[in-house]
Amino acid sequence: MKVAVTGAAGFVGTNLVNQLVADGHDVVAIDRVCPDHALQHPSVTWSSIDIFDQDTLTAAFDSVDTVYHLVAMITLKQKDETAWRVNTEGVASTARAALAAGVRRFVHCSSIHSFDQYTDSGIVDETSARSENPSLPVYDRSKWAGEQELQKVVAEGLDAVICNPTGVYGAVDHGLSRINGMLRDAAQGRVPIFVEGTFDLVDVRDVARGLTLAAEHGRTGENYLIGGADVRLFDAMRTVAELCGRFQPLFAVPLGMLKAVVPIAEPISQLFGSDLVSRASISALVAQPTVDVSKARDELGYAPRPTAQTLADLVAFLWDSHQMGSAKPKSGDHFESIVPQLV
C-alpha cells in the first residue's frame, strides 16, 4: 500500500516511517529537508514540499491510500503567529490536498494539549473540555483549532481520524526532544535535583503504532487518546542514571517553591530565547491529569509497552547513537532489577 507522511523527518515521523516500512508499505516521506538520519530504503521516497502548497501536495498524494499528517510547531509560549498558522492553517491545507487527491483515509496527529488539562476533573478522555481558554498557551489552543479546521474538511467528504498522544519520549530520537534531552542529561549524571511532577508519557514507537491502528480501525471524525503510563520524572531520571552507573538526582523540588520563583525566572528565560521556565510549563506540572486510553484500547486494539522497557531502550539507543559521551549502560539483566517500580 502507498502511504504519505508529512513531517516525516521529525521525532514521531522517523518512527512512523520505520513502522510503515516494517509493515510493508511504500512511503512518500514529506518534509522540508531529508536529514542524515533519514531512512534510505527502496520503499521510501523523500520529497521537500511546503504544506501550504496545496497543488504540490495534491500531486504528491496521487494514488496514496493513507496520509499521516504530523507537521506541527511545539512551543510553550503564550503567543506565536508561526505556531498558530502551522498548527491550524497547515492542517486545513494538507487535509484539502488529501481530499482533492482522493485519498482513502487521513490520520491527523494532534496532541493531548488540545484538551484542557488544567480545569477539568483530573481525568482526561475524549469527552473532556477542549483548549478554548485564551489564557492557555498557543500550542494548546492551536492544536484544538487545527482539529476544528480538519472537521470542516471532514464535513466536505474527507475520511479523517484524529490521534492525541500524551508526552512522547523514547527511541529513536536524533533530536533530542525536551523529555529525552532531560533524560539524557540525567543519564550522564548532570541532573543533581529536579522538580516534582508526574506525567502520562508514551513511547514514540507506541504512538507510531497507534497512528497505524487508527488508520485501520478508527471511526471517521473521532478522537483517540494515545497514552502510556503515569511516570514520575524524578524516578525516571534516577533510573536512567543508575542504568549508566552515574550520579543520581538527590531530591525533587516541591512545586510550591518553583511557582514562587516563576515571576522572576520567566523573563530571564525569555531573554535567552527559552520557554522552558514559564507559567505554561509550571501549569503542566501542576495539572498532572490521569489520561484514559480505554477508547483507543477498545476500538483500535492499542496497547502501550511498559515504561521500564522504554527507559532501557532509550538508554541503549543514546549510547549506540553516540549521544551519551562515556556513559555506557550496564547489562540488560541490571535493567530489570532496578526499574520495576516504574512499570
Side-chain angles (χ1 to χ4, degrees), residues 170-245:
V172 302
D173 183 6
H174 298 276
L176 297 166
S177 69
R178 293 178 192 271
I179 298 172
N180 283 344
M182 291 187 292
L183 289 171
R184 189 271 311 273
D185 290 344
Q188 292 176 321
R190 296 167 52 191
V191 181
I193 61 173
F194 197 69
V195 296
E196 192 61 75
T198 299
F199 299 91
D200 188 295
L201 299 183
V202 59
D203 191 300
V204 65
R205 296 165 296 182
D206 292 333
V207 174
R209 173 51 72 191
L211 291 167
T212 63
L213 288 170
E216 297 171 12
H217 307 296
R219 289 184 287 130
T220 303
E222 292 290 316
N223 287 80
Y224 295 92
L225 287 167
I226 306 297
D230 287 337
V231 178
R232 186 183 183 222
L233 287 181
F234 179 74
D235 293 337
M237 289 185 166
R238 287 184 61 86
T239 295
V240 295
E242 187 173 357
L243 285 171
C244 294

Side-chain angles (χ1 to χ4, degrees), residues 245-308:
R246 292 303 182 94
F247 175 81
Q248 300 175 40
L250 296 174
F251 63 91
V253 178
L255 289 176
M257 294 177 60
L258 193 61
K259 286 191 288 186
V261 303
V262 167
I264 299 172
E266 184 173 24
I268 297 174
S269 178
Q270 291 175 347
L271 286 175
F272 288 93
S274 173
D275 58 8
L276 282 176
V277 181
S278 64
R279 286 185 293 272
S281 61
I282 302 309
S283 295
L285 286 168
V286 172
Q288 300 182 22
T290 297
V291 180
D292 181 357
V293 300
S294 58
K295 182 177 178 180
R297 182 190 64 226
D298 296 343
E299 295 189 16
L300 307 182
Y302 172 73
R305 72 198 69 202
T307 301

Side-chain angles (χ1 to χ4, degrees), residues 58-289:
T58 300
F61 294 158
D62 181 48
S63 72
V64 163
D65 177 85
T66 303
V67 170
Y68 296 89
H69 180 58
L70 274 55
V71 172
M73 183 173 175
I74 301 173
T75 177
L76 292 173
K77 294 179 181 178
Q78 193 64 28
K79 296 180 180 180
D80 190 302
E81 292 182 2
T82 301
W84 180 267
R85 182 168 184 256
V86 169
N87 296 344
T88 59
E89 296 175 31
V91 177
S93 174
T94 309
R96 287 203 159 83
L99 179 62
V103 303
R104 180 189 64 86
R105 170 136 282 197
F106 186 93
V107 181
H108 174 44
C109 185
S110 184
S111 170
I112 182 68
H113 287 274
S114 74
F115 293 89
D116 190 342
Q117 305 167 70
Y118 314 112
T119 61
D120 214 334
S121 63
I123 298 176
V124 176
D125 64 16
E126 290 82 359
T127 67
S128 295
R130 307 311 294 264
S131 294
E132 299 175 319
N133 191 323
S135 67
L136 291 172
V138 66
Y139 181 69
D140 300 53
R141 292 180 285 111
S142 67
K143 294 304 285 185
W144 166 226
E147 291 185 22
Q148 293 174 290
E149 291 297 319
L150 176 58
Q151 293 291 1
K152 295 176 184 178
V153 189
V154 171
E156 296 171 15
L158 181 66
D159 184 350
V161 62
I162 303 167
C163 291
N164 300 81
T166 57
V168 185
Y169 75 136
V172 302
D173 183 6
H174 298 276
L176 297 166
S177 69
R178 293 178 192 271
I179 298 172
N180 283 344
M182 291 187 292
L183 289 171
R184 189 271 311 273
D185 290 344
Q188 292 176 321
R190 296 167 52 191
V191 181
I193 61 173
F194 197 69
V195 296
E196 192 61 75
T198 299
F199 299 91
D200 188 295
L201 299 183
V202 59
D203 191 300
V204 65
R205 296 165 296 182
D206 292 333
V207 174
R209 173 51 72 191
L211 291 167
T212 63
L213 288 170
E216 297 171 12
H217 307 296
R219 289 184 287 130
T220 303
E222 292 290 316
N223 287 80
Y224 295 92
L225 287 167
I226 306 297
D230 287 337
V231 178
R232 186 183 183 222
L233 287 181
F234 179 74
D235 293 337
M237 289 185 166
R238 287 184 61 86
T239 295
V240 295
E242 187 173 357
L243 285 171
C244 294
R246 292 303 182 94
F247 175 81
Q248 300 175 40
L250 296 174
F251 63 91
V253 178
L255 289 176
M257 294 177 60
L258 193 61
K259 286 191 288 186
V261 303
V262 167
I264 299 172
E266 184 173 24
I268 297 174
S269 178
Q270 291 175 347
L271 286 175
F272 288 93
S274 173
D275 58 8
L276 282 176
V277 181
S278 64
R279 286 185 293 272
S281 61
I282 302 309
S283 295
L285 286 168
V286 172
Q288 300 182 22

Side-chain angles (χ1 to χ4, degrees), residues 4-18:
V5 179
T6 69
F11 180 28
V12 176
T14 295
N15 287 273
L16 178 58
V17 171
N18 291 345

